[in-house]
C-alpha cells in the first residue's frame, strides 16, 4: 500500500473461512518509540492501562481497547529514567514483549516500527515491509555452531494474503543495537541477505517464538543505508512520515485481521 492510500475496499474482500474458535481475538503490538506508537494509539482511541500488567518500577506502557472486534494492546518500553529518550534496542524490546505476552496471552504479536532500508535490495524511504526472516548482525561468536546461534536466522510466519491485500513489500530483516552500521555489521547484514535493518525485530520475534505466539514484523523505512546520506539526519527527517505510513498500514492490518485465523493470513 502506498503511503496515503486508503485500505477500506481491500480489507473487506477476503471471506472468513476459519471456525470462530480459531479466529484472532487478541493482538499485541510491540512498538519501540512513542513517536511510532502514539498516532496508532490515538487513531484506535486506546486507553493507557498498565497498572495491573507491568511491575510498578518499570517505564513500560500499555494502551488497550477494542477495535473492529479485536482486543488490541499496544505496548511501548517507555523512556529512559535519566535521559528521557525512548528505550530502543533489543533488551527493552525483549523484556516488554516477555511481560506483555505473559500477561495478555495474545493470539498474534505484531512488532511495528521503523527501519533502515537498502536501495540495492529494492527499499525506498516510506516503503512498508513485512519481514520474511529475522537475524542478528551484532552477535559475532566465531566458534562452530555458536556462530549460527549468534546470527539466529529465523523465518517468520507466512502472510501472503495480508501482504497482497495491502500491497506491502517483503524482505529479510537484520537486527542490531546500533543505528549506524560498522564494517563488521555490514558484512553480516550482507550475509543475512537483509533488505531492512532495525534495532528490535529479531529479539521480539525470539520472545514470541519462545511462547509459540505467531509474530508479524512490519517496518516502515526512514532511511536508505546505502544511499550516501548520514543515517541520523535522514532518520530524524523522515520519522514522522514513516510513523504516518506505519499508522495507515497498522489500521489496514488490524481491519484485515478481523474475523480471520492465523492460517487465513
Ligand atoms: N530504524 C530506522 N532506521 C534504522 C537504521 N538505519 N538502523 C537501525 N534501525 C533503524
Amino acid at each position: 500500500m502506498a503511503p496515503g492510500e486508503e485500505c477500506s475496499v481491500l480489507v473487506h474482500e477476503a471471506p472468513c473461512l476459519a471456525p470462530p474458535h480459531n479466529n484472532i481475538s487478541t493482538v499485541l503490538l510491540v512498538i519501540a518509540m512513542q513517536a511510532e506508537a502514539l498516532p496508532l494509539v490515538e487513531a484506535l482511541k486506546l486507553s493507557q492501562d498498565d497498572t495491573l500488567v507491568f511491575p510498578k518500577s518499570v517505564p513500560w506502557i500499555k494502551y488497550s481497547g477494542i477495535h473492529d472486534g479485536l482486543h488490541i494492546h499496544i505496548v511501548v518500553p517507555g523512556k529512559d529514567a535519566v535521559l528521557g529518550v525512548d528505550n530502543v534496542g533489543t533488551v527493552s524490546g525483549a523484556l516488554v514483549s516477555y511481560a506483555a505476552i505473559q500477561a495478555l496471552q495474545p493470539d498474534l504479536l505484531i512488532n511495528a516500527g521503523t527501519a533502515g532500508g537498502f536501495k540495492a535490495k529494492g527499499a525506498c524511504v516510506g516503503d512498508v515491509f513485512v519481514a520474511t526472516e529475522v537475524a542478528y548482525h551484532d552477535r559475532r561468536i566465531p566458534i562452530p555452531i555458536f556462530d549460527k546461534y549468534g546470527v539466529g536466522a529465523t523465518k517468520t510466519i507466512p502472510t501472503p494474503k495480508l501482504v497482497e491485500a495491502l500491497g506491502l513489500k517483503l524482505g529479510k530483516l537484520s537486527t542490531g543495537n546500533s543505528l549506524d552500521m560498522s564494517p563488521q555489521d555490514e558484512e553480516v547484514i550482507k550475509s543475512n541477505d537483509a533488505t531492512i535493518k532495525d534495532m528490535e525485530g529479531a529479539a521480539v520475534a525470539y520472545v514470541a517464538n519462545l511462547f509459540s505466539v505467531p509474530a508479524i514484523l512490519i517496518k516502515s523505512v526512514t532511511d536508505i543505508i546505502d544511499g550516501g546520506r548520514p543515517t541520523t539526519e535522514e532518520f530524524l527527517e523522515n520519522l514522522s512520515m514513516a510513523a504516518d505510513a506505519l499508522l495507515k498500514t497498522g489500521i489496514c492490518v488490524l481491519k484485515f485481521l478481523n474475523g480471520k485465523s492465523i492460517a487465513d493470513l
Side-chain angles (χ1 to χ4, degrees), residues 218-237:
I218 299 173
K219 301 285 162 174
S220 173
V221 174
T222 46
D223 51 277
I224 296 302
I225 300 156
D226 52 349
R229 283 193 65 194
T231 295
T232 44
E233 188 183 292
E234 210 178 7
F235 170 76
L236 292 170
E237 190 177 295

Side-chain angles (χ1 to χ4, degrees), residues 90 131-156 172-176 188-189 191-194 198 200-210 217:
T90 58
T132 54
E133 194 171 309
V134 294
Y136 297 94
H137 54 258
D138 61 356
R139 302 200 319 178
R140 293 176 293 279
I141 316 171
I143 299 170
I145 311 187
F146 276 106
D147 52 1
K148 276 204 174 67
Y149 167 80
V151 170
T154 308
K155 284 196 169 33
T156 58
K172 293 183 186 174
L173 169 68
S174 196
T175 297
V188 183
I189 288 170
S191 83
N192 288 345
D193 191 28
D198 83 340
E200 293 87 18
V204 174
Y206 170 76
V207 178
N209 274 342
L210 281 181
L217 296 96

Side-chain angles (χ1 to χ4, degrees), residues 1 5-13 166 251-252 255:
M1 189 187 66
E5 221 171 274
E6 289 298 329
C7 63
S8 51
V9 178
L10 286 171
V11 293
H12 292 301
E13 278 174 3
L166 272 60
I251 299 284
C252 292
K255 279 191 180 171

Side-chain angles (χ1 to χ4, degrees), residues 7-211:
C7 63
S8 51
V9 178
L10 286 171
V11 293
H12 292 301
E13 278 174 3
C16 170
L17 302 174
H21 63 274
N22 277 344
N23 283 1
I24 298 162
S25 163
T26 301
V27 182
L28 168 64
L29 289 106
V30 177
I31 303 180
M33 296 184 76
Q34 298 264 19
E36 298 161 344
L38 289 183
L40 210 47
V41 167
E42 278 161 28
L44 297 171
K45 298 188 169 51
L46 305 183
S47 314
Q48 185 173 340
D49 156 32
D50 33 61
T51 43
L52 297 176
V53 174
F54 298 141
K56 273 203 185 84
S57 57
V58 301
W60 311 334
I61 304 170
K62 175 172 88 68
Y63 304 93
S64 299
I66 297 177
H67 192 81
D68 274 340
L70 290 175
H71 293 85
I72 297 170
H73 305 281
I74 295 183
V75 296
V76 297
K79 306 274 184 185
D80 181 88
V82 176
L83 302 172
V85 296
D86 294 298
N87 285 316
V88 297
T90 58
V91 173
S92 290
L95 284 170
V96 76
S97 299
Y98 171 80
I101 288 173
Q102 290 298 299
L104 305 168
Q105 302 286 310
D107 302 309
L108 175 69
L109 182 152
I110 299 174
N111 173 221
T114 55
F118 291 90
K119 70 168 191 242
K121 304 283 288 178
C124 304
V125 169
D127 281 349
V128 181
F129 277 86
V130 171
T132 54
E133 194 171 309
V134 294
Y136 297 94
H137 54 258
D138 61 356
R139 302 200 319 178
R140 293 176 293 279
I141 316 171
I143 299 170
I145 311 187
F146 276 106
D147 52 1
K148 276 204 174 67
Y149 167 80
V151 170
T154 308
K155 284 196 169 33
T156 58
I157 59 162
T159 55
K161 296 189 188 92
L162 171 78
V163 167
E164 198 194 335
L166 272 60
L168 302 174
K169 287 189 166 183
L170 288 171
K172 293 183 186 174
L173 169 68
S174 196
T175 297
N177 275 294
S178 299
L179 184 69
D180 68 2
M181 184 173 70
S182 71
Q184 281 172 309
D185 288 347
E186 184 171 6
E187 199 182 305
V188 183
I189 288 170
K190 280 199 177 125
S191 83
N192 288 345
D193 191 28
T195 302
I196 45 175
K197 165 181 176 284
D198 83 340
M199 296 175 66
E200 293 87 18
V204 174
Y206 170 76
V207 178
N209 274 342
L210 281 181
F211 297 101

